[in-house]
Amino acid sequence: MNESVMDLKIVTPYKVIDLKDVKSVTAETNLGEVEILPFHCDYLTNVEISILTVNFKDETKHYTVGGGALHFREDDNLLVLILNSIIPVEDIDIAKAFKDKLLAEAKLKRELSKEEHKKAELALRTSIVEINAKNTFKK
């Protein structure tokens, strides 16, 4: 067993992704940024709407995530991310993200129910993270 890497399972409502040979994962939680390395102690936390960084042996990949949970299982050397959504930065449609941002901002200027307000805030946060990610990690 190679102690310098771990397995990563990403579960969304639409797909399950299994990744091997992961050196580290950096995620944003409500308490700040956390980096998970192979054989981390058992750990469970939330994941904010944010940028997720996955370091492999030969490359680093960045994703935007729509919030969820992170669970590291030390016995299996397995990190499980249960996420509302995940988008590789290279797949972000920047024009759509700007349009979504403008729509959410306009919606928040109107009188909304508590539920509608929360949805608009989440849409705004998501679009801002997508725009920032695309601008930060341009290729």
Side-chain angles (χ1 to χ4, degrees), residues 96-134:
K96 181 183 178 308
F98 273 112
K99 181 181 173 188
D100 292 347
K101 179 179 179 285
L102 292 173
L103 288 172
E105 288 171 338
K107 209 177 250 190
L108 286 168
K109 290 179 182 175
R110 299 192 318 249
E111 190 168 324
L112 302 170
S113 70
K114 191 174 185 178
E115 172 98 9
E116 290 170 324
H117 193 274
K118 185 172 183 166
K119 284 182 181 179
E121 281 182 337
L122 289 173
L124 179 59
R125 285 176 49 206
T126 299
S127 61
I128 289 171
V129 166
E130 288 178 0
I131 292 165
N132 289 340
K134 193 69 169 184

Side-chain angles (χ1 to χ4, degrees), residues 17-29:
I17 305 165
D18 289 303
L19 301 171
K20 305 283 185 200
D21 297 328
V22 174
K23 290 178 70 175
S24 69
V25 174
T26 304
E28 188 71 31
T29 75

